[in-house]
């Protein structure tokens, strides 16, 4: 879809003045009814994707908002989150074929959000957990994994708990958490609050591996019991080594 510079500037200026909320996007839709006009001319054209790109909004998030609005207008009761998530994962469930195609194009072309990205993140995370497991086995370290811990009744657990603690760079380690991501300040603080300090309270000091690196200054809780590494440590000291 082609816009004149004046049209683009008008939309951009409007976006600057409103927060990225659903209410704001409804106002934008009323002011710029391009989606309905676009799909009316050609239902196969990626109208919703182009609209999301032009207003610099994540395509999958735009698709979610449009889908929610569609279901609200065509259903007697507001759609549940599980229903919407199911339709985003499988757009063929959407009762309107044109909208299903528009949502599908948004999902497969979104590199940051959406069910496809979630699947990729999950697969990469699982791959690195398997890699960590293999390294622990190679070092002959006895451990319990997340599934085994949950079977014992733990509801919030790290990826691996060492049945016999080890030392890394002079710090005792009881558990290891694998993060297949880069540790930036925002995500690390969230992990500390939601996960790492809970693990520390239950199991003692531990190690977090950010496989794609982290901000060096974030590794500031070593003395309190949370050590950060960007790879599997090579200088592990076991109880057997200490005895020897």
């Amino acid at each position: 879809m082609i816009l004149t510079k004046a049209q683009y500037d008008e939309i951009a200026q409007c976006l600057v003045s409103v927060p990225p909320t659903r209410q704001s996007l409804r106002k934008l839709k009323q002011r710029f009814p391009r989606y309905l006009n676009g799909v009316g001319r050609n239902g196969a054209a990626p109208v919703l994707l182009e609209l999301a790109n032009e207003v610099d909004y994540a395509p999958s998030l735009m698709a979610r908002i449009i889908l929610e609005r569609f279901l609200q207008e065509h259903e007697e009761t507001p759609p549940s989150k599980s229903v919407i998530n199911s339709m985003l994962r499988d757009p063929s469930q959407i009762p309107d074929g044109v909208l299903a195609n528009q949502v599908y194009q948004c999902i497969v072309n979104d590199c940051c959000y959406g069910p496809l990205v979630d699947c990729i993140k999950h697969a990469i995370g699982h791959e690195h957990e398997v890699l960590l497991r293999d390294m622990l086995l190679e070092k002959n370290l006895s451990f319990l994994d997340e599934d085994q811990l949950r079977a014992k009744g733990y509801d919030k657990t790290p990826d691996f708990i060492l049945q016999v603690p080890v030392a890394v760079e002079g710090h005792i380690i009881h558990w290891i958490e694998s993060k297949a991501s880069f540790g930036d300040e925002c995500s690390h603080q969230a992990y500390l609050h939601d996960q790492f300090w809970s693990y520390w309270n239950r199991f003692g000091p531990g190690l977090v591996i950010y496989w794609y690196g982290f901000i060096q200054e974030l590794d500031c809780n070593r003395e309190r019991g949370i050590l950060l590494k960007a790879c599997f440590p090579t200088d592990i000291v076991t109880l057997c080594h200490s005895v020897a």
Side-chain angles (χ1 to χ4, degrees):
M1 184 170 293
I2 300 175
L3 290 176
T4 66
K5 188 177 186 302
Q7 290 172 325
Y8 177 82
D9 290 342
E10 183 184 2
I11 295 175
Q13 185 62 37
C14 185
L15 284 172
V16 170
S17 64
V18 297
T21 62
R22 294 177 182 174
Q23 291 79 8
S24 299
L25 285 172
R26 290 194 184 100
K27 294 178 182 178
L28 289 173
K29 178 184 174 184
Q30 294 170 357
R31 186 169 177 182
F32 308 106
R34 294 177 48 236
Y35 167 70
L36 294 179
N37 293 337
V39 297
R41 290 193 298 269
N42 183 0
V47 176
L48 191 55
L49 174 62
E50 291 177 355
L51 179 60
N53 290 334
E54 288 168 9
V55 298
D56 196 23
Y57 203 74
S60 63
L61 299 182
M62 179 73 81
R64 174 182 287 273
I65 293 171
I66 297 298
L67 177 59
E68 286 182 354
R69 183 63 177 268
F70 171 83
L71 294 175
Q72 288 171 359
E73 292 178 353
H74 291 80
E75 302 290 339
E76 295 181 356
T77 58
S80 66
K81 184 177 180 180
S82 61
V83 169
I84 293 172
N85 288 340
S86 178
M87 289 184 176
L88 290 174
R89 287 192 297 268
D90 180 11
S92 66
Q93 299 178 25
I94 299 174
D96 183 277
V98 173
L99 179 57
N101 178 57
Q102 296 292 321
V103 169
Y104 172 78
Q105 293 179 67
C106 286
I107 296 300
V108 299
N109 285 285
D110 195 325
C111 62
C112 297
Y113 301 98
L116 181 59
V117 174
D118 290 341
C119 288
I120 294 173
K121 289 180 179 179
H122 178 76
I124 295 174
H126 180 70
E127 177 183 353
H128 284 80
E129 287 177 16
V130 172
L131 175 63
L132 177 55
R133 174 192 293 272
D134 292 341
M135 291 178 171
L136 291 172
L137 292 173
E138 184 179 345
K139 292 289 186 180
N140 293 318
L141 298 178
S142 180
F143 60 84
L144 295 175
D145 62 26
E146 201 169 9
D147 292 335
Q148 292 171 313
L149 291 168
R150 286 178 178 170
K152 291 179 176 292
Y154 294 101
D155 58 341
K156 184 177 289 189
T157 68
D159 293 319
F160 299 97
I161 287 185
L162 303 177
Q163 293 185 299
V164 179
V166 300
V168 176
E169 300 178 7
H171 298 274
I172 300 299
I173 300 299
H174 289 265
W175 52 266
I176 304 178
E177 176 76 2
S178 171
K179 292 297 182 187
S181 60
F182 178 83
D184 60 42
E185 187 172 7
C186 181
S187 61
H188 182 65
Q189 292 302 325
Y191 286 139
L192 281 171
H193 180 270
D194 297 335
Q195 298 179 359
F196 302 159
W197 288 126
S198 296
Y199 302 160
W200 181 88
N201 284 329
R202 295 185 182 191
F203 308 111
L207 166 67
V208 178
I209 301 178
Y210 281 111
W211 295 101
Y212 292 93
F214 58 90
I215 298 174
Q216 184 177 8
E217 287 78 4
L218 297 178
D219 191 16
C220 58
N221 291 302
R222 290 187 167 210
E223 300 305 320
R224 298 180 62 188
I226 297 179
L227 179 70
L228 304 186
K229 296 284 288 183
C231 61
F232 188 79
T234 58
D235 55 347
I236 293 177
V237 178
T238 64
L239 180 61
C240 295
H241 291 155
S242 299
V243 172

